[in-house]
């Protein structure tokens, strides 16, 4: 297995972790302070849970795009890796500029690592 494949799998595992986090939010986990700008104490209101739900398929597609860019399943077109980089860049930026210090401290480093993994797979391989 080549380095970019290992890094793509690591990215996909991190995507799975973020999806699990989103699912916990959807089902009422009291983590409002570390997501979506940190505006909510405790559980997210229903409309914000729907936002969390809508992010799950996007995240799954991002993970599949990066594994595809590394030559792994599901073998999508190469442009999808670039689309995932755009989304990951947006996510990383938003997590570093959020008004919530708790969100910034947790998600800033995580999304930065995810960006570096995806960028290596797409641009350096």
């Amino acid at each position: 297995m080549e380095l970019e494949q290992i890094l793509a799998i690591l990215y996909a595992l991190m995507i799975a972790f973020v999806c699990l986090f989103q699912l916990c939010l959807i089902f009422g986990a009291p983590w409002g302070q570390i997501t979506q700008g940190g505006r909510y104490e405790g559980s997210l209101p229903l409309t914000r849970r729907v936002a969390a739900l809508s992010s799950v398929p996007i995240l799954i597609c991002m993970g599949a795009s990066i594994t595809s860019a590394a030559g792994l399943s599901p073998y999508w077109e190469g442009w999808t890796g670039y689309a995932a980089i755009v989304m990951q860049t947006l996510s990383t930026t938003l997590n570093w500029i959020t008004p919530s210090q708790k969100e910034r401290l947790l998600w800033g480093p995580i999304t930065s690592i995810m960006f570096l993994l995806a960028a290596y797979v797409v641009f350096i391989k």
Side-chain angles (χ1 to χ4, degrees):
M1 185 171 287
E2 296 181 26
L3 178 60
E4 68 265 9
Q5 292 176 328
I6 294 168
L7 297 179
I9 291 168
L10 182 55
Y11 180 83
L13 289 171
M14 292 182 80
I15 286 285
F17 167 76
V18 177
C19 285
L20 179 61
F21 175 80
Q22 296 296 334
L23 290 171
C24 289
L25 291 172
I26 292 162
F27 289 106
W31 301 333
Q33 288 185 319
I34 57 172
T35 189
Q36 300 183 18
R39 292 181 200 100
Y40 305 99
E41 285 283 330
S43 299
L44 296 175
L46 182 60
T47 57
R48 303 315 307 167
R49 291 182 194 194
V50 171
L53 177 63
S54 68
S55 72
V56 172
I58 295 167
L59 288 162
I60 292 169
C61 288
M62 288 168 62
S65 296
I66 297 303
T67 58
S68 292
L72 300 169
S73 183
Y75 309 108
W76 289 355
E77 294 291 325
W79 66 266
T80 64
Y82 295 103
I85 289 289
V86 169
M87 293 300 295
Q88 189 62 60
T89 300
L90 179 62
S91 173
T92 302
T93 302
L94 291 174
N95 279 294
W96 279 113
I97 67 170
T98 180
S100 168
Q101 182 181 12
K102 291 178 181 179
E103 184 178 5
R104 217 174 20 255
L105 289 173
L106 175 65
W107 292 110
I110 291 172
T111 56
S112 294
I113 291 167
M114 293 173 73
F115 171 78
L116 292 171
L117 291 170
Y120 183 91
V121 171
V122 172
F123 295 124
I124 307 225
K125 68 173 184 156

